[in-house]
PDB file of all heavy atoms in Angstrom:
ATOM      1  N   PRO A1401      96.556 114.180 104.120  1.00  0.00           N
ATOM      2  CA  PRO A1401      96.275 114.919 102.871  1.00  0.00           C
ATOM      3  C   PRO A1401      97.427 115.735 102.383  1.00  0.00           C
ATOM      4  O   PRO A1401      97.560 115.941 101.199  1.00  0.00           O
ATOM      5  CB  PRO A1401      95.104 115.786 103.262  1.00  0.00           C
ATOM      6  CG  PRO A1401      95.004 115.814 104.790  1.00  0.00           C
ATOM      7  CD  PRO A1401      95.656 114.540 105.224  1.00  0.00           C
ATOM      8  N   GLY A1402      98.339 116.151 103.269  1.00  0.00           N
ATOM      9  CA  GLY A1402      99.506 116.928 102.843  1.00  0.00           C
ATOM     10  C   GLY A1402     100.440 116.165 101.863  1.00  0.00           C
ATOM     11  O   GLY A1402     101.178 116.749 101.129  1.00  0.00           O
ATOM     12  N   SER A1403     100.351 114.817 101.930  1.00  0.00           N
ATOM     13  CA  SER A1403     101.161 114.005 101.028  1.00  0.00           C
ATOM     14  C   SER A1403     100.476 113.654  99.702  1.00  0.00           C
ATOM     15  O   SER A1403     101.064 113.055  98.852  1.00  0.00           O
ATOM     16  CB  SER A1403     101.481 112.684 101.794  1.00  0.00           C
ATOM     17  OG  SER A1403     102.191 112.899 102.903  1.00  0.00           O
ATOM     18  N   ASP A1404      99.173 113.996  99.658  1.00  0.00           N
ATOM     19  CA  ASP A1404      98.346 113.638  98.461  1.00  0.00           C
ATOM     20  C   ASP A1404      98.395 114.684  97.379  1.00  0.00           C
ATOM     21  O   ASP A1404      97.357 115.172  96.903  1.00  0.00           O
ATOM     22  CB  ASP A1404      96.912 113.387  98.958  1.00  0.00           C
ATOM     23  CG  ASP A1404      96.793 112.286  99.933  1.00  0.00           C
ATOM     24  OD1 ASP A1404      97.684 111.465 100.053  1.00  0.00           O
ATOM     25  OD2 ASP A1404      95.768 112.300 100.695  1.00  0.00           O
ATOM     26  N   THR A1405      99.573 115.022  96.938  1.00  0.00           N
ATOM     27  CA  THR A1405      99.698 116.147  95.984  1.00  0.00           C
ATOM     28  C   THR A1405      99.699 115.773  94.519  1.00  0.00           C
ATOM     29  O   THR A1405      99.573 116.564  93.697  1.00  0.00           O
ATOM     30  CB  THR A1405     101.007 116.925  96.230  1.00  0.00           C
ATOM     31  OG1 THR A1405     102.141 116.050  96.214  1.00  0.00           O
ATOM     32  CG2 THR A1405     100.964 117.579  97.655  1.00  0.00           C
ATOM     33  N   ALA A1406      99.924 114.483  94.220  1.00  0.00           N
ATOM     34  CA  ALA A1406      99.988 114.015  92.809  1.00  0.00           C
ATOM     35  C   ALA A1406      99.466 112.643  92.668  1.00  0.00           C
ATOM     36  O   ALA A1406     100.119 111.693  92.181  1.00  0.00           O
ATOM     37  CB  ALA A1406     101.453 114.087  92.330  1.00  0.00           C
ATOM     38  N   ILE A1407      98.188 112.413  93.111  1.00  0.00           N
ATOM     39  CA  ILE A1407      97.597 111.094  93.046  1.00  0.00           C
ATOM     40  C   ILE A1407      97.273 110.705  91.607  1.00  0.00           C
ATOM     41  O   ILE A1407      96.597 111.496  90.903  1.00  0.00           O
ATOM     42  CB  ILE A1407      96.311 111.074  93.904  1.00  0.00           C
ATOM     43  CG1 ILE A1407      96.592 111.422  95.342  1.00  0.00           C
ATOM     44  CG2 ILE A1407      95.620 109.724  93.792  1.00  0.00           C
ATOM     45  CD1 ILE A1407      97.618 110.531  96.054  1.00  0.00           C
ATOM     46  N   ILE A1408      97.799 109.552  91.137  1.00  0.00           N
ATOM     47  CA  ILE A1408      97.556 109.123  89.767  1.00  0.00           C
ATOM     48  C   ILE A1408      96.816 107.718  89.674  1.00  0.00           C
ATOM     49  O   ILE A1408      96.462 107.278  88.634  1.00  0.00           O
ATOM     50  CB  ILE A1408      98.789 109.091  88.924  1.00  0.00           C
ATOM     51  CG1 ILE A1408      99.819 108.122  89.416  1.00  0.00           C
ATOM     52  CG2 ILE A1408      99.401 110.518  88.804  1.00  0.00           C
ATOM     53  CD1 ILE A1408     100.927 107.751  88.445  1.00  0.00           C
ATOM     54  N   SER A1409      96.656 107.091  90.837  1.00  0.00           N
ATOM     55  CA  SER A1409      95.941 105.846  90.851  1.00  0.00           C
ATOM     56  C   SER A1409      95.140 105.642  92.170  1.00  0.00           C
ATOM     57  O   SER A1409      95.545 106.128  93.175  1.00  0.00           O
ATOM     58  CB  SER A1409      96.890 104.640  90.641  1.00  0.00           C
ATOM     59  OG  SER A1409      97.855 104.540  91.635  1.00  0.00           O
ATOM     60  N   ILE A1410      94.018 104.961  92.010  1.00  0.00           N
ATOM     61  CA  ILE A1410      93.136 104.679  93.107  1.00  0.00           C
ATOM     62  C   ILE A1410      92.872 103.171  93.053  1.00  0.00           C
ATOM     63  O   ILE A1410      92.738 102.600  91.995  1.00  0.00           O
ATOM     64  CB  ILE A1410      91.800 105.438  92.983  1.00  0.00           C
ATOM     65  CG1 ILE A1410      92.007 106.928  92.972  1.00  0.00           C
ATOM     66  CG2 ILE A1410      90.836 105.077  94.066  1.00  0.00           C
ATOM     67  CD1 ILE A1410      90.804 107.746  92.543  1.00  0.00           C
ATOM     68  N   GLY A1411      92.841 102.531  94.274  1.00  0.00           N
ATOM     69  CA  GLY A1411      92.659 101.116  94.253  1.00  0.00           C
ATOM     70  C   GLY A1411      91.811 100.658  95.370  1.00  0.00           C
ATOM     71  O   GLY A1411      91.593 101.391  96.382  1.00  0.00           O
TER      72      GLY A1411
END
Side-chain angles (χ1 to χ4, degrees):
S1403 300
D1404 300 339
T1405 58
I1407 301 300
I1408 63 165
S1409 64
I1410 299 170

